[in-house]
Amino acid sequence: MHVQMLGLCRFSYLGGRGFQVTHDSIEERRAFLYDPARLERRWFWFENITLPGILAQTDPDYTLVMMTGPDLPEPYLSRLHELTTLAPQLKLALVPPMEQHWAACLAAVAPHVDPKADVVGHFRQDDDDAVAIDYIHHARQDFAAMEPLWQQQRRLYCDYSRGLVLKANRNGVQVQPRVIHNASVGLTVYLPPDVQSTAIHFPHWRIALSMPGVTMAERLMYVRFLNHDNDSGMIGAGFPLETGSEDWAAILADRFRVDLATLDDAARQFGLPGADRPRWGK
């Protein structure tokens, strides 16, 4: 059975609903998203957290659609274009502002669905989170064991729930290993190719109401990065894991190709507190 792995990464997409930080007008939202200092931080996290792991996948057979607006300021729009020339797995979708966020995400993803695939493994890749370098490999391989369950409703999710939470503020970056139930990162939604839905169509915190699921927590599979520019910054339901003498810098480098010292220095240089969100870091 052929499983297509298809992800969506929204980079400062200018649109209507779909986020917890709201604005009274599209002009106000554009000013917020395209603020030069904010875009500088967003690109830094994207380049140093998200890209290293996704580009180092042990199974390179996947597509990641990078979704943004056609008026994203330079040099960031050109940088996204350049990425598509460096990595064939990366595709760029320029979507004009749309009020219905689900429709906008579908407009970005739908052209890249392989109609010949038996199953599409949709995943959501936020632009400041990371997946382990073997995420695609396991998401495709593990589906074989889950296929009988998928056949019942022809929809299924797999939650790789063990990961690392990194909290960044003016004092640097703290690392906490954690199990998070159905976090947005490390969550795969398996659907038939003819279904007009993406991972975004199923809110991750209540996805169990939409389909059966499987949880796998034996290996570190994601990095959830909490920083000043998070939309909400909630950790989500779950629990911290006991720690010993782990070398988190070595683990981050090995599993995610992330340099902890670089992130720590950047957090201090940006000099920002935790985000002013009611449940940031909780």
Side-chain angles (χ1 to χ4, degrees):
M1 177 170 282
H2 172 47
V3 178
Q4 180 193 16
M5 291 299 298
L6 178 59
L8 175 65
C9 180
R10 301 165 297 175
F11 186 84
S12 294
Y13 171 67
L14 177 62
R17 305 173 188 175
F19 299 95
Q20 296 190 36
V21 177
T22 59
H23 300 91
D24 294 331
S25 67
I26 193 70
E27 291 77 16
E28 183 180 340
R29 187 161 186 80
R30 178 181 283 106
F32 169 78
L33 289 176
Y34 293 170
D35 173 73
R38 179 187 179 277
L39 280 175
E40 179 186 1
R41 294 190 300 270
R42 297 306 296 181
W43 185 265
F44 185 88
W45 304 134
F46 180 55
E47 189 174 40
N48 287 277
I49 298 174
T50 305
L51 285 177
I54 199 68
L55 293 178
Q57 289 297 302
T58 58
D59 180 351
D61 182 14
Y62 67 91
T63 298
L64 179 66
V65 180
M66 302 179 298
M67 171 184 172
T68 192
D71 63 343
L72 180 72
E74 295 291 357
Y76 305 104
L77 185 56
S78 292
R79 290 178 182 177
L80 290 175
H81 275 292
E82 183 180 7
L83 283 173
T84 65
T85 67
L86 299 175
Q89 297 93 338
L90 303 184
K91 309 297 181 182
L92 182 59
L94 302 181
V95 182
M98 296 175 64
E99 180 61 25
Q100 296 296 329
H101 192 71
W102 288 357
C105 292
L106 183 60
V109 170
H112 303 282
V113 172
D114 180 0
K116 297 180 180 179
D118 297 298
V119 181
V120 180
H122 291 272
F123 63 97
R124 165 182 166 179
Q125 178 65 67
D126 286 356
D127 64 3
D128 55 2
D129 291 338
V131 289
I133 61 173
D134 55 0
Y135 163 69
I136 297 294
H137 166 77
H138 284 289
R140 177 174 281 119
Q141 176 180 272
D142 292 340
F143 178 78
M146 296 181 285
E147 183 184 349
L149 184 58
W150 180 82
Q151 292 287 0
Q152 293 181 14
Q153 297 185 22
R154 293 179 62 78
R155 56 170 61 180
L156 176 76
Y157 73 85
C158 179
D159 174 26
Y160 293 108
S161 59
R162 180 189 291 255
L164 298 177
V165 173
L166 273 57
K167 292 184 179 181
N169 57 34
R170 61 170 62 97
N171 298 316
V173 175
Q174 297 178 335
V175 182
Q176 182 185 69
R178 196 172 181 93
V179 166
I180 304 176
H181 302 302
N182 300 332
S184 58
V185 60
L187 182 69
T188 313
V189 181
Y190 300 98
L191 300 170
D194 58 350
V195 172
Q196 297 294 298
S197 297
T198 71
I200 300 294
H201 284 74
F202 304 94
H204 59 91
W205 62 91
R206 62 182 185 188
I207 193 170
L209 298 176
S210 300
M211 64 189 77
V214 175
T215 297
M216 298 189 180
E218 64 268 28
R219 62 179 61 86
L220 290 171
M221 196 63 87
Y222 63 83
V223 166
R224 177 84 172 90
F225 186 61
L226 304 186
N227 62 88
H228 177 270
D229 297 308
N230 289 137
D231 183 50
S232 70
M234 285 180 56
I235 294 178
F239 50 89
L241 298 172
E242 294 184 5
T243 60
S245 57
E246 291 88 351
D247 185 344
W248 294 123
I251 291 171
L252 282 162
D254 179 59
R255 293 287 292 151
F256 304 96
R257 301 298 190 261
V258 167
D259 188 324
L260 180 58
T262 296
L263 300 187
D264 192 75
D265 289 343
R268 296 173 191 273
Q269 291 176 17
F270 286 140
L272 296 173
D276 184 18
R277 309 283 188 274
R279 302 192 65 182
W280 187 88
K282 299 180 182 179

